[in-house]
Amino acid sequence: MRRICPVKRSVRFPASTTLLRRLALASIIANVAIVVTGGAVRLTASGLGCPTWPRCTDGSYTTTSEMGVHGVIEFGNRLLTFAVGAIALAVVVGVLLHGTRRKALLPLAIGVLFGIPAQAILGGITVLTNLNPWVVGLHFLASMAVIAVAYALWRRIDEPDGPTAPTVPGPLRALTLVTTVASVAVLVIGTWVTGSGPHAGDQGAARNGLDPQSISQVHADGVFLLIGLSVALVFAFRAVGARRAERAALALVAVELSQGLIGFVQYFTHLPGALVAAHMLGSCLVLLATLAVLWSTRERHSTEAPTTPTPTETPTPALTPA
C-alpha cells in the first residue's frame, strides 16, 4: 500500500488589508484619545502631578502616595503613551507583513511610530519648564501632526500606488488648500487662547501674557473665516458635480459649527472643564474633517498597465492575378 507523503509548504502569515485598516483606524483613535486625556491632566491641575521627567519623582519612575490624585492622573497619562506606541508598532508590523508589501505605507507607519516618542519628549519638556504655555501649545500641535500622519496612512491603505490625479478644477484645489491653511491657523491660535486662559495645569504655572479677550476675538474671527471658506467649498463642489468632495465639505461645516458652538458656550460660561475637554476633542475632529476634504479633491490610479487581449490572427488572403 502506497503512503502519500504530505508536501511541505512554507508558512506565511500575511496581514490582511482589513486588519491593517483596523489597526490604522485604532491608531487614529488612540492619538485623539491621548490629546483628550492630556487636556484632562491640565483641566484637573495635574500638570505637575509628576514634578519631573522622565521619572515621576526624583526617586521613583512611578507615582507615590505623597503625590496624591494629581500624581495618579499625570502618571496615568504617561502610561497611555506606551499603549498608543504599542498600537503604532502593531501598524508597522502589519505593514511589513502585508501581502502586497506596500512600500508607500511604511514611511507613514514609521512616521507615526517615531512621532509618539517625539511628542512624549515634548511633554517631558513641558514638565521641566514648569508648564510653559508656549511649550504646552507646541506639545498639542505635535499631537495634531501625528494624527494627520496617522490619517494619511489610514487613507493610503485602500489606494493604489500610482500617481494622483485631481478630481476638481485647479481653482477649487487652490480654495481647498486655503481652507486647510485656515484650519491649521485656527488650531495654532487656539493654543494661544489656551495659554492665556485660566487652565494652566497647575496653580503656579505662568501664562503667555496675551490678553484673553483680545486673542479670543482673533480666534473667533479665524473660525468665521474658516466656516465661510468651507461653505464656499460646498457650493463650488456642487457646481462642478464633485459629489464626494461636496459630502466631505458638508461634514466639515457640520463639525465646525458644532465646535464653534462649544467654543462660544464655554467662553460665556467661564470655561467649565467639561466643555474645554469637548472643545479639544472637537479640534481633533476639525483637523480630520479638513483632511477628508483635502483627500476628496484627488484620486490615485494604479501603476499596473491595462492588459489588452491578444488579437486573433487572421489568415492572409491569397493573391489572385488581375
Side-chain angles (χ1 to χ4, degrees):
M1 184 175 180
R2 297 176 59 186
R3 297 181 62 185
I4 301 175
C5 298
V7 179
K8 293 183 179 180
R9 297 180 180 178
S10 59
V11 180
R12 293 182 60 193
F13 300 95
S16 68
T17 301
T18 301
L19 174 61
L20 190 57
R21 187 188 305 114
R22 289 175 179 175
L23 286 173
L25 181 59
S27 181
I28 296 174
I29 296 173
N31 279 283
V32 171
I34 202 169
V35 169
V36 178
T37 58
V41 171
R42 181 168 53 83
L43 294 170
T44 57
S46 302
L48 295 179
C50 289
T52 187
W53 189 88
R55 296 173 181 263
C56 184
T57 64
D58 291 334
S60 174
Y61 281 98
T62 61
T63 184
T64 61
S65 58
E66 290 79 6
M67 308 313 299
V69 65
H70 295 303
V72 173
I73 294 174
E74 165 63 10
F75 184 70
N77 189 63
R78 293 187 182 188
L79 287 180
L80 186 59
T81 301
F82 291 98
V84 178
I87 296 175
L89 179 60
V91 174
V92 173
V93 174
V95 170
L96 292 174
L97 295 179
H98 194 257
T100 58
R101 297 282 179 160
R102 296 277 301 277
K103 294 182 179 179
L105 299 178
L106 189 57
L108 294 172
I110 293 177
V112 176
L113 179 62
F114 282 92
I116 293 170
Q119 183 259 12
I121 291 173
L122 279 175
I125 295 175
T126 63
V127 174
L128 297 177
T129 57
N130 294 321
L131 306 181
N132 182 288
W134 300 106
V135 181
V136 172
L138 185 61
H139 183 216
F140 171 79
L141 295 176
S143 297
M144 303 301 276
V146 174
I147 292 174
V149 178
Y151 179 85
L153 171 63
W154 179 63
R155 293 298 299 262
R156 285 288 283 116
I157 290 174
D158 290 324
E159 291 182 340
D161 290 331
T164 58
T167 59
V168 297
L172 295 191
R173 296 200 306 274
L175 181 59
T176 303
L177 289 176
V178 171
T179 305
T180 304
V181 172
S183 181
V184 173
V186 167
L187 291 176
V188 173
I189 298 174
T191 64
W192 302 348
V193 177
T194 301
S196 67
H199 296 293
D202 188 79
Q203 297 296 333
R207 300 285 73 201
N208 58 18
L210 300 176
D211 179 60
Q213 186 174 0
S214 299
I215 196 61
S216 296
Q217 182 62 56
V218 174
H219 183 58
D221 293 340
V223 170
F224 286 130
L225 174 62
L226 177 59
I227 294 175
L229 290 171
S230 303
V231 172
L233 282 177
V234 172
F235 287 101
F237 290 149
R238 181 176 301 175
V240 299
R243 300 304 179 191
R244 184 166 67 99
E246 179 189 348
R247 289 193 296 269
L250 279 171
L252 175 60
V253 172
V255 172
E256 289 168 349
L257 291 176
S258 301
Q259 175 74 336
L261 177 61
I262 295 173
F264 276 107
V265 172
Q266 73 170 3
Y267 179 80
F268 290 108
T269 55
H270 306 291
L271 304 176
L275 287 181
V276 174
H279 199 60
M280 294 187 68
L281 174 61
S283 299
C284 300
L285 298 180
V286 168
L287 174 65
L288 293 173
T290 302
L291 294 174
V293 175
L294 190 62
W295 231 262
S296 68
T297 60
R298 94 290 183 280
E299 60 185 5
R300 193 177 294 271
H301 300 287
S302 176
T303 55
E304 297 179 359
T307 57
T308 56
T310 305
T312 305
E313 295 184 0
T314 56
T316 304
L319 297 178
T320 56

